[in-house]
């Protein structure tokens, strides 16, 4: 695991975008899993800018969902799909056939998990996963206490996730369950990048990176990944020894 600390979220975002663009240059048909959430927003702007300015072809890149709120349709601004559609898919004109997202309103969510697991397997596995870290240490919706061996699954959301998640919605929205890739898929991904910015993430970053690895802080499993980058701004890194 390599930890890099940057003076500002802006420099962090530029460097992160560069890593993703490099991956696509090396492997034009890479399978990427990009998280929603506030942290990577600036990175996505730089990816779009970088791809356009340098003529990087994203037409063969495949995208798989990290997570979704169960019952919230893709048309809702708070959904992960909506966010990525606005920030990446639409600006880079990604074909719908290259986008593999959970349908979190499907009647049979277990079948939906299986469908996504199968797509990942058929595409040869995830090449790069870019994730944030929740205030409770989650990655995707792998909440504290989760088994590290799970693939895609439906999960009862932690109370912290239910509360913090309100920030993505314009009105109070009940958020009880999530559908998410599992830690097994995170650990098997060819490269993982975890981003964190701001003072509020400093305590959980310290736990994830400096405490013994345990399911209590799922992001801590990144310590055991063999090709992992943790990219922090100076605020998020503020409590590290
Ligand atoms: P955030 O979300 O980037 O909006 O802080 C991170 C997460 O919950 O994984």
């Amino acid at each position: 695991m390599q930890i890099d600390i940057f003076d500002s979220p802006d420099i962090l975002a530029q460097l992160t975008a560069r890593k993703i663009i490099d991956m696509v240059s090396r492997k034009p048909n890479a399978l990427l899993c990009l998280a929603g959430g506030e942290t990577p927003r600036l990175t996505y702007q730089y990816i779009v800018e970088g791809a356009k300015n340098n003529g990087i072809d994203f037409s063969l890149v495949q995208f798989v969902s990290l997570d979704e709120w169960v019952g919230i349709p893709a048309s809702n601004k708070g959904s992960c799909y909506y966010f990525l559609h606005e920030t990446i898919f639409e600006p880079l004109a990604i074909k719908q056939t290259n986008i593999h997202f959970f349908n979190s309103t499907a009647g049979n969510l277990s079948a939906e998990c299986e469908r996504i697991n199968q797509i990942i397997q058929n595409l040869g596995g995830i090449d790069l996963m870019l994730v944030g870290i929740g205030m409770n240490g989650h990655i995707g919706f792998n909440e504290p206490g989760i088994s590290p061996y799970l693939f895609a699954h439906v999960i009862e959301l932690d109370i912290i996730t239910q509360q913090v998640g309100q920030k993505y919605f314009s009105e109070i929205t009940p958020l009880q369950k999530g559908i998410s890739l599992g830690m097994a898929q995170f650990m098997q991904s060819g490269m993982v990048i975890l981003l964190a910015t701001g003072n509020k993430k400093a305590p959980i970053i310290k736990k994830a990176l400096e405490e013994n690895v345990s399911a209590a802080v799922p992001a801590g499993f990144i310590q055991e990944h063999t090709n992992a980058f943790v990219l922090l701004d100076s605020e998020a890194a503020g409590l590290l020894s």
Side-chain angles (χ1 to χ4, degrees), residues 34-37 44 63-69 72-91 94-104 115 141 169 179:
L34 305 181
Y44 298 160
F63 293 87
V64 68
S65 218
L66 173 62
D67 56 16
E68 278 298 356
W69 311 100
I72 305 287
S75 57
N76 185 309
K77 284 190 174 173
S79 75
C80 188
Y81 176 83
Y82 192 100
F83 176 80
L84 281 158
H85 177 78
E86 293 252 288
T87 53
I88 292 272
F89 303 151
E90 209 265 330
I94 304 297
K95 288 195 296 269
Q96 207 58 42
T97 46
N98 291 359
I99 302 173
H100 314 284
F101 265 51
F102 288 118
N103 171 7
S104 71
R115 182 180 74 83
F141 287 142
F169 296 89
I179 183 166

Side-chain angles (χ1 to χ4, degrees), residues 36-40 132-134 138 140 167-168 201:
E38 278 312 312
T39 314
I133 179 171
H138 74 196
K167 70 177 174 176
Y168 306 119
K201 293 287 172 73

Side-chain angles (χ1 to χ4, degrees), residues 116-158:
I116 293 290
N117 287 339
Q118 201 56 55
I119 288 172
I120 293 173
Q121 201 177 323
N122 294 347
L123 291 172
I126 298 171
D127 292 291
L128 187 153
M129 227 163 145
L130 174 70
V131 299
I133 179 171
M135 295 297 288
N136 61 358
H138 74 196
I139 281 185
F141 287 142
N142 291 278
E143 302 286 29
I146 197 73
S147 158
Y149 306 112
L150 279 182
F151 289 82
H153 59 278
V154 174
I155 186 166
E156 206 70 43
L157 295 171
D158 189 69

Side-chain angles (χ1 to χ4, degrees), residues 20-34 47 51 56-64 88-89 92-101 123 126-128:
I20 290 160
I21 286 180
D22 283 351
M23 166 64 75
V24 172
S25 306
R26 275 199 311 277
K27 187 171 178 188
N29 64 345
L31 175 57
L32 305 184
C33 175
L34 305 181
I47 291 176
I56 308 294
D57 181 10
F58 270 66
S59 66
L60 299 177
V61 177
Q62 305 275 337
F63 293 87
V64 68
I88 292 272
F89 303 151
L92 289 180
I94 304 297
K95 288 195 296 269
Q96 207 58 42
T97 46
N98 291 359
I99 302 173
H100 314 284
F101 265 51
L123 291 172
I126 298 171
D127 292 291
L128 187 153

